[in-house]
Amino acid sequence: MYKVAAPHIRRVIVLGMAAGPRIGPSELFRLAWTDVELAAGYMRMPNAAKGAKEDSRIVPIRDDILPLLRAWKEEDEQRGCPWGIHWRGRPVRCIGHAWHQARKAAGITRRITPYSLRHAMPTEALEHGADVKAVAEVMGHADPTMLLRVYQHTRYRLRKKAVNAAPGLKLDGI
C-alpha cells in the first residue's frame, strides 16, 4: 500500500506504524515540524483530549525512519509547510478518500482503516519483545492494560507457541 499511496498517506503509514498515534486531527494531523527533534531523536506527539495531563508526549523516533523524516522535513521547509502531514502544503483534516484509493490500488480487499495502524504498531512491538508500559506511554495511555485489552492482537504463531510452552504431557505410556 505504501508504494502506491499519495505522499501524505505514505507519511501516515510510516508515522502510524512507527509511533502508534491516533490517526486524525486529535494527534497525528496536529504534529508540526517544530515538534520533531531529529538531532535528539524524538518527537513531541500532541495528546488527544482524553484526560492526558500534558498537551504532548515524548515519542522516540525509530532509527530506521530518521533519514526519511530528515528528507520530509527538508522538503517541507523548502515549501514553507509547518505540518508533518499535509496535502500540497495545506493541513489535512481527513484522509478517508485517499486512504481507500491507496488500499484499492494496492489490491487490498480487506477493510483496513488508518486507525488499523494504531492497532498494528503495539501488536508488532509487543510480539517482538517491547515492554508493555513503554508501548503504552508511546501511544499515550496511562494504563498499560488498555493495550492488552484493546490493541494487542495475537497471531496464530504466538498462540501455537503458547500451547507448546508448557512441558510435554508425557503420553508415552498410554
Side-chain angles (χ1 to χ4, degrees):
M1 186 167 152
Y2 179 85
K3 290 179 182 179
V4 298
H8 67 302
I9 300 301
R10 287 182 177 191
R11 291 180 181 204
V12 168
I13 292 169
V14 168
L15 292 170
M17 285 299 297
R22 291 170 178 88
I23 309 295
S26 67
E27 288 188 1
L28 186 57
F29 297 171
R30 289 177 32 218
L31 183 69
W33 286 115
T34 55
D35 299 320
V36 181
E37 301 290 340
L38 293 172
Y42 70 86
M43 59 186 125
R44 285 179 301 280
M45 183 62 67
N47 276 328
K50 291 189 170 254
K53 294 178 178 129
E54 305 291 328
D55 62 348
S56 65
R57 61 187 180 276
I58 299 297
V59 176
I61 298 171
R62 290 177 53 105
D63 296 335
D64 61 345
I65 69 165
L66 270 169
L68 188 56
L69 291 181
R70 283 188 187 103
W72 289 345
K73 184 176 183 180
E74 184 178 314
E75 175 186 309
D76 291 349
E77 284 175 346
Q78 289 176 1
R79 75 180 341 158
C81 181
W83 304 283
I85 307 294
H86 62 87
W87 175 247
R88 297 182 179 169
R90 293 187 308 268
V92 172
R93 302 292 299 163
C94 178
I95 61 166
H97 179 73
W99 176 269
H100 293 295
Q101 289 295 101
R103 184 178 56 80
K104 287 178 188 171
I108 299 170
T109 56
R110 190 173 135 230
R111 184 180 183 271
I112 59 169
T113 66
Y115 205 81
S116 299
L117 300 170
R118 186 159 165 84
H119 285 255
M121 182 273 187
T123 298
E124 290 290 329
L126 295 172
E127 182 174 330
H128 289 90
D131 178 76
V132 174
K133 185 163 177 40
V135 174
E137 288 175 5
V138 163
M139 294 181 66
H141 289 296
D143 181 3
T145 61
M146 176 70 158
L147 289 184
L148 302 175
R149 283 193 331 265
V150 177
Y151 288 100
Q152 183 184 22
H153 304 282
T154 59
R155 296 201 171 95
Y156 180 80
R157 182 180 64 76
L158 289 179
R159 293 190 300 266
K160 178 82 169 171
K161 184 178 176 181
V163 300
N164 285 304
L169 298 177
K170 299 183 179 32
L171 301 175
D172 296 343
I174 296 180

